[in-house]
């Protein structure tokens, strides 16, 4: 089974990103032949700052490698190191009805938020179809918001195959249901746009301070507390074993346990959990040549497949 997913560089990695997106992506390498790429061409639809673009792309590569991506098992590459996707995107464009793109929620949401309509924004799903079809992926794990784009990919591939013969594997979206939304410091969904994040590779002291500032109810130290209604406990669960969770829940219910103490335990747990990744990231950061080498080698592997697919598609439409 061939699995492919793309990730847009999206700023400083926080715990919500880690549990919601990164850990599931890293599990792909256990499920089959995995391809994972940094969707920098897609990011151009929202980033118009060359330095921010380079930084974002570099950070996401470091984050993934530090958090356990194994480049031997997963072909990890930058989308822009595979220019073949553009040739394929053009071939696909001509079988993509305009209405299909205009109906995409993500496009409509962006317009509704006041983002100017550009050709890139509209054609975004066609490029995404090219990313997927070029490696003949069977399965595409994505968040719920990207499911429609995978359905568009299927429509485009089916139409192309119908018109020109069987060139493309029809991919299936795989929506991860296991991850609930990770709450932020204030109890809302953790998101960089709400300013309530706990960063994974941020300054240790600063992170501790942020955890100590988490919002709770105003129960006194002595009062029994409900772990399930508490933000601190919800985050603690992400890091703790079953026994540790049961133990903290018991102390909450018994009374005599303050929120300050719970925050401290959470901070310790989090620090210990990410310490090896933090160390690995520092090592990688000091060795940019290694990271670049990984991405180039990943691109070379993916491009072998891409060359075959593009040639088949060119033949099918009569360019060869
Ligand atoms: P943000 O909301 O901070 O801007 P993004 O929208 O860039 O984060 O999300 C990047 C990835 O991380 C997406 O796959 C998204 O589903 C996941 N993600 C972000 N925040 C959370 C959260 N609080 N809980 C679970 N997953 C999340
Ligand atoms: N659009 C995806 C997102 O924003 C990223 C992406 C680009 C992607 N190409 C892809 C995901 C191909 C899966 C497959 O999250």
């Amino acid at each position: 089974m061939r699995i492919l997913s793309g990730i847009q560089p999206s700023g400083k990695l926080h715990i919500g990103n880690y549990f919601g997106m990164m850990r599931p992506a890293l599990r792909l390498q256990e499920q089959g032949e995995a391809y994972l790429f940094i969707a920098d061409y897609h990011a151009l639809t929202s980033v118009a700052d060359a330095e921010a673009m380079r930084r974002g792309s570099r950070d996401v590569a470091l984050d993934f490698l530090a958090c356990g991506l194994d480049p031997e098992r997963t072909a990890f590459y930058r989308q822009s190191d595979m220019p073949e996707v553009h040739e394929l995107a053009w071939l696909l464009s001509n079988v993509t009805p305009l209405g299909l793109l205009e109906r995409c929620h993500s496009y409509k949401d962006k317009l509704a938020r006041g983002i100017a309509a550009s050709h890139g924004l509209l054609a975004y799903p066609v490029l995404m179809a090219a990313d997927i079809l070029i490696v003949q992926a069977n399965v595409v794990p994505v968040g719920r918001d990207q499911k429609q784009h995978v359905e568009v990919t299927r429509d485009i591939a089916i139409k192309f195959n119908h018109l020109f013969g069987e060139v493309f594997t029809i991919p299936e979206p795989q929506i991860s249901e296991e991850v609930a939304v990770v709450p932020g410091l204030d109890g809302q969904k953790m998101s960089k746009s709400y300013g309530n994040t706990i960063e994974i590779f941020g300054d240790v002291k600063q992170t501790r301070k942020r955890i100590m500032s988490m919002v709770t109810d105003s129960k006194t130290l002595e009062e029994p507390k409900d772990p399930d209604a508490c933000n601190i406990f919800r985050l603690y669960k992400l890091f703790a074993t079953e026994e540790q969770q049961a133990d903290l829940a018991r102390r909450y219910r018994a009374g005599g346990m303050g929120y300050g103490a719970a925050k401290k335990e959470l901070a310790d747990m989090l620090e210990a959990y990410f310490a090896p990744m933090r160390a690995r990231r520092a090592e990688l950061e000091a060795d940019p040549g290694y990271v670049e080498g990984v991405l180039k080698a990943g691109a070379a592997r993916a491009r072998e497949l891409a060359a075959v697919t593009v040639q088949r598609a060119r033949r099918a439409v009569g360019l060869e």
Side-chain angles (χ1 to χ4, degrees), residues 4-9 21 35-43 79 106 110 124-125 127-133 137 139-143 145-146 149-150 153:
L4 168 126
S5 198
I7 9 131
Q8 283 212 48
M21 174 274 290
Y35 291 78
L36 189 68
F37 68 93
I38 302 168
D40 52 358
Y41 282 142
H42 278 108
Q79 188 183 26
S106 151
K110 284 171 189 157
Y124 185 110
L127 180 59
M128 189 157 155
D131 297 327
I132 297 169
L133 300 176
V139 179
V140 184
V142 281
D145 62 318
Q146 296 294 318
H149 288 157
V150 183
T153 301

Side-chain angles (χ1 to χ4, degrees), residues 26 46-47 71 73 92 99 102-103 116 140 142 212 227 263 267 311:
L26 291 173
S46 59
V47 182
R73 298 171 80 168
L92 301 175
E102 284 168 341
R103 279 197 298 278
V140 184
V142 281
M212 297 313 288
K263 288 175 184 173
Q311 202 195 13

